[in-house]
Amino acid sequence: SRAVSKGIEVIASSYFDPTTPEMISYSIQIRLLRNGEDGYLSPSERGFETCQLLSRHWRLVEEDGRVDAVDGDGVIGLYPILMDNAYKVHVDTTLDGTFRYESCARKSCRVFQGQMRFIPGSINEPVGEEFLVEIAPLALSSKTGIIF
């Protein structure tokens, strides 16, 4: 799935991981879009040069229709700072490209979606109000291959 909020692109995908056959693995990729890409906003249009992930809220829909909510700070213990063409997960390390992380859910989960809360600037030096970034619904599948 793909969603864009305030110039931030979130791509979610599920895939088969033979090391955890009882689970459904998924990947989340987060980045600021580049000039010329669909949904791009300039720093002045989006209201910030950088932004930092504060927290997440996932909704996992089970095959019986039950919804499990997962709320927490950051993701996998990280609070990435997004910037044009790069991101930081540690103060002294800037990495090119897209922040990506992987996790898994019970095999009975069928749909994954949610939101991430960001702050313009950084947690230590905010320059605006917190905002939400959507994760579009993703049909989870444990079949071999990647599902987008």
Side-chain angles (χ1 to χ4, degrees):
S1 70
R2 178 180 186 266
V4 175
S5 305
K6 286 194 86 144
I8 299 172
E9 177 185 63
V10 179
I11 295 177
S13 57
S14 66
Y15 60 95
F16 176 73
D17 181 350
T19 65
T20 58
E22 70 286 354
M23 305 294 278
I24 298 174
S25 298
Y26 61 88
S27 170
I28 306 289
Q29 299 177 62
I30 311 164
R31 70 184 180 107
L32 285 175
L33 289 168
R34 294 183 175 113
N35 192 2
E37 294 179 316
D38 186 35
Y40 170 80
L41 296 175
S42 70
S44 62
E45 291 171 314
R46 63 182 181 242
F48 55 86
E49 294 279 336
T50 66
C51 61
Q52 187 167 16
L53 177 67
L54 296 172
S55 62
R56 70 193 183 289
H57 173 72
W58 300 159
R59 291 180 300 282
L60 298 154
V61 181
E62 300 276 343
E63 59 191 357
D64 65 4
R66 186 171 42 95
V67 177
D68 286 333
V70 177
D71 294 290
D73 294 335
V75 289
I76 59 172
L78 300 174
Y79 301 84
I81 297 174
L82 304 181
M83 55 194 68
D84 287 333
N85 303 316
Y87 66 94
K88 285 184 180 187
V89 290
H90 302 288
V91 174
D92 299 330
T93 307
T94 300
L95 302 167
D96 290 337
T98 302
F99 175 76
R100 177 182 176 177
Y101 76 95
E102 299 171 351
S103 192
C104 55
R106 287 185 303 277
K107 204 170 193 174
S108 59
C109 291
R110 292 294 174 250
V111 177
F112 171 90
Q113 67 188 80
Q115 300 172 321
M116 292 177 284
R117 183 175 303 280
F118 280 84
I119 185 83
S122 68
I123 293 170
N124 294 330
E125 296 181 25
V127 296
E129 297 296 318
E130 297 176 8
F131 62 93
L132 295 176
V133 171
E134 294 294 322
I135 299 173
L138 170 68
L140 296 174
S141 174
S142 60
K143 296 179 182 176
T144 302
I146 296 177
I147 310 299
F148 289 97

